Amino acid sequence: ADLIDQRQPERKVSESEERLRTLFNSMSEAFVVKEAIVEGDEITDFRFIECNPAFMKQTGLGDPRGRTMKALMPNFEHFWMERYAQVLRTGIPTQFEAHIAPLDRWLTVSVSRLGSKRRRRLAIVLTNITGLKRAEAALRDSKNHLQLVLGSVRDYGIITMDAKGGVTGWNSG
């Protein structure tokens, strides 16, 4: 009976780890753990410790484990380092949208310190919103183009309407 009692906690831990691993590998959000590289008192880079398949797919970086941000993206914007360092210093999670120029991708980013300050690790959840940002830009361009067309037609009256028949614009022709 004692042997069974000793194995039960181990089995529960193993089952819990398996559930977390399944969630980690199947979630649609990109997830990555990074560890700060510190020289003196300054954070100089971040090493990729772990990532899920969605991270590799959404960023296009392949498997970055063991590599550093500077090695993967030598031209990355410095604000990433500043944001990550701030979360490590304060322990206050942050969320933001950002464009990664070297990858030409827009991401929503949630960053939290993982464990104690001494461990210098971050848990980061990313969602690729590049398609949404491009659609927003195309819609803005289309609206600007329509306004130019409406403004240039002087001899005709033009009215634009939405799908429900509501007037959304007109020219003064």
Side-chain angles (χ1 to χ4, degrees):
D2 288 338
L3 186 58
I4 293 172
D5 290 341
Q6 289 175 0
R7 289 183 187 163
Q8 201 167 26
E10 291 174 9
R11 188 171 48 248
K12 285 184 179 183
V13 167
S14 177
E15 289 171 359
S16 178
E17 287 175 351
E18 183 179 333
R19 282 193 303 271
L20 286 174
R21 179 64 51 196
T22 300
L23 172 64
F24 181 75
N25 287 328
S26 64
M27 60 192 281
S28 60
E29 292 84 7
F31 181 82
V32 64
V33 174
K34 292 182 182 180
E35 184 174 63
I37 298 171
V38 179
E39 295 177 13
D41 289 335
E42 186 179 339
I43 295 173
T44 59
D45 207 344
F46 283 88
R47 181 176 321 285
F48 290 83
I49 303 299
E50 190 156 7
C51 67
N52 67 351
F55 177 86
M56 293 180 245
K57 181 179 178 183
Q58 289 188 33
T59 63
L61 289 173
D63 187 351
R65 290 177 288 189
R67 300 182 67 197
T68 65
M69 285 176 57
K70 288 180 180 177
L72 281 171
M73 296 178 292
N75 300 321
F76 77 94
E77 297 88 347
H78 190 70
F79 80 87
W80 290 94
M81 194 77 73
E82 293 168 0
R83 292 267 176 107
Y84 290 170
Q86 181 179 356
V87 172
L88 280 177
R89 276 193 312 275
T90 66
I92 300 170
T94 188
Q95 296 81 32
F96 57 95
E97 285 184 4
H99 183 253
I100 300 180
L103 301 176
D104 191 26
R105 292 203 163 104
W106 278 93
L107 303 170
T108 58
V109 184
S110 296
V111 184
S112 301
R113 189 165 64 198
L114 186 61
S116 71
K117 188 176 183 177
R118 285 195 330 261
R119 287 194 68 200
R120 301 187 308 246
R121 288 193 173 186
L122 297 173
I124 304 166
V125 178
L126 309 163
T127 302
N128 185 339
I129 57 169
T130 305
L132 176 63
K133 289 294 188 177
R134 288 182 179 155
E136 287 174 352
L139 185 58
R140 272 192 310 276
D141 291 347
S142 179
K143 182 179 176 183
N144 291 340
H145 180 73
L146 180 59
Q147 288 174 337
L148 284 172
V149 169
L150 289 175
S152 67
V153 179
R154 301 281 180 223
D155 296 333
Y156 301 96
I158 298 176
I159 297 175
T160 58
M161 303 172 100
D162 62 23
K164 294 180 181 178
V167 176
T168 59
W170 62 88
N171 69 348
S172 57

